Amino acid sequence: MSETSRTTSGNLPPAQPPASNGMDPSGAAPTPERKRRGGFARFVKWAVALILLLLIGAGVVIYVYLDPIVKRTVEKQATAQLNLKTELDRAHVSLFGGQVDLNQLRIASPQGFQAPQMFTLGQADVRAKVSELRNDPVRVSNITLNQPRLVVENNGGTFNFKKAMDLMPKTEQNPADKSAPLKVVIGDLTVKDPTVVVRPGQLNVPGLTLPEEITISIPTVTLKNIGTGEGSENGAAIKDVVMQVITVMASQAANSGKLPKELQGLMNLNVQQMAAGLTAEARKRIVEALPGEAGRIVSEVLADPNALLKNPGEVVGAQAERLKGQAQAEAEKRVGGALERIGIGGGSTQPASQPATQPGDRVKQEAGKAIEQGLGGLLNRDKKDKDKKPNR
């Protein structure tokens, strides 16, 4: 062996065999603390993963079952409180967005009216925390009713919305599942781009011909602080909220300027009678939301809320006199124009109380008598209906 080889090998430590049994090359055992730390970290990771899976699973269960629960609750509560079949195609609850979407709501017409549904709604956007949906009353920051549609139908002088009010239970009604009647507190209730379809029926006014339907688009309106006023400390019932919306829409349509005076007056009579059956808080919210003539019609009820209930003849009679004058003037105008076109007389200054001598005057007076008889029959029928009701 050369000198160089001896020198190099003499300076190196002896070679160690590779470790094949997990031992440290020096022969020492592995550090116990390092193994324990690695096992605890894996345990924490698995625990976190398991918790996440449980949360996701719970969220899926809630997502799957909460929507049908809300749908059934809306249908059962509205049907029981309104005494009208109410259907909802779909409800969707956003767990993290604080919103509930209600799609395709339908409220049936009262018996005796032809329209299958009195009120329909494509979509309602409800802003509320999921936790507040379980409160009593349910608290909602705002609701937007998008493009609701109200069918107003006349049958013998009574409109379907007034009939619906008459048929509502006078006391709180539990749904079929015996759950407590639902009440709500709503910050803002916006009725956005509503439409009212008026079916005037037969008015029996000479010279007046009406189409089967009159479609009226009315302005957006917002009702505020529903279920928070005096007498509503526990919120407003579903039926009161629905009737407030219907009253607002019917009143706006009646005073839109798109209906003949005869039909406008008759609708306003029904609106006032309906408003008299609402709570004082509901009437106040309606008046605050309605502008102009529509608000005045309802505000007249506030002066004596029980007038229509105690003595409807006086209130209806006063409104009927106003309606009769409007209707008679309108009828005479139409009849006079028709007579002039066929060459029978023109305008006349002869008082209506004196016997008519001219053909045109006779026709006008007969038209006025027909109007009086029609309105008189309506008032007498209401009086008879009232007399038939047993005293309680």
Side-chain angles (χ1 to χ4, degrees), residues 138-302:
V138 175
R139 296 188 175 274
V140 179
S141 59
N142 63 74
I143 299 177
T144 301
L145 307 181
N146 293 302
Q147 299 179 333
R149 183 176 185 266
L150 172 67
V151 177
V152 172
E153 188 176 348
N154 172 39
N155 185 2
T158 299
F159 286 90
N160 55 349
F161 59 84
K162 169 62 170 54
K163 187 68 173 180
M165 170 65 77
D166 294 340
L167 293 176
M168 282 196 317
K170 305 307 178 187
T171 57
E172 292 185 350
Q173 296 293 311
N174 294 336
D177 60 1
K178 306 302 180 182
S179 58
L182 182 66
K183 293 190 175 183
V184 295
V185 174
I186 306 172
D188 292 332
L189 173 57
T190 300
V191 185
K192 184 178 180 181
D193 301 329
T195 299
V196 177
V197 178
V198 181
R199 296 183 176 181
Q202 298 295 324
L203 293 185
N204 297 322
V205 176
L208 179 64
T209 302
L210 295 172
E212 292 186 2
E213 289 188 353
I214 303 172
T215 302
I216 304 172
S217 297
I218 55 180
T220 296
V221 64
T222 299
L223 297 156
K224 293 182 175 293
N225 302 319
I226 295 176
T228 61
E230 183 178 354
S232 299
E233 292 81 3
N234 295 324
I238 295 295
K239 63 181 181 181
D240 290 332
V241 177
V242 172
M243 286 303 167
Q244 286 182 59
V245 172
I246 290 178
T247 302
V248 165
M249 293 177 65
S251 185
Q252 282 191 307
N255 298 282
S256 63
K258 298 180 180 179
L259 298 178
K261 293 294 183 182
E262 301 90 338
L263 183 57
Q264 176 188 358
L266 189 59
M267 277 188 64
N268 278 330
L269 284 177
N270 280 255
V271 167
Q272 283 192 318
Q273 290 173 323
M274 181 176 178
L278 295 172
T279 64
E281 189 266 341
R283 290 192 294 268
K284 181 179 178 182
R285 301 307 173 201
I286 292 171
V287 172
E288 290 173 349
L290 285 175
E293 183 69 9
R296 185 192 65 79
I297 293 297
V298 180
S299 65
E300 288 182 355
V301 181
L302 290 177

Side-chain angles (χ1 to χ4, degrees), residues 332-344:
E332 289 183 357
K333 180 180 177 182
R334 290 195 180 97
V335 172
L339 292 175
E340 288 180 3
R341 286 195 296 273
I342 62 176
I344 303 179

Side-chain angles (χ1 to χ4, degrees), residues 364-382:
K364 291 179 182 179
Q365 287 189 7
E366 288 300 320
K369 290 179 181 178
I371 293 170
E372 291 182 13
Q373 291 173 358
L375 289 170
L378 173 61
L379 295 177
N380 289 334
R381 188 190 65 214
D382 288 344

Side-chain angles (χ1 to χ4, degrees), residues 95-171:
L95 296 179
F96 304 105
Q99 180 168 327
V100 180
D101 294 328
L102 307 178
N103 300 105
Q104 301 301 323
L105 177 72
R106 299 179 298 278
I107 299 176
S109 291
Q111 189 173 1
F113 295 88
Q114 295 183 356
Q117 284 87 34
M118 176 177 64
F119 183 86
T120 55
L121 175 66
Q123 183 181 19
D125 299 326
V126 182
R127 293 285 181 180
K129 296 178 180 179
V130 176
S131 59
E132 293 183 335
L133 296 178
R134 299 192 301 269
N135 292 345
D136 184 20
V138 175
R139 296 188 175 274
V140 179
S141 59
N142 63 74
I143 299 177
T144 301
L145 307 181
N146 293 302
Q147 299 179 333
R149 183 176 185 266
L150 172 67
V151 177
V152 172
E153 188 176 348
N154 172 39
N155 185 2
T158 299
F159 286 90
N160 55 349
F161 59 84
K162 169 62 170 54
K163 187 68 173 180
M165 170 65 77
D166 294 340
L167 293 176
M168 282 196 317
K170 305 307 178 187
T171 57

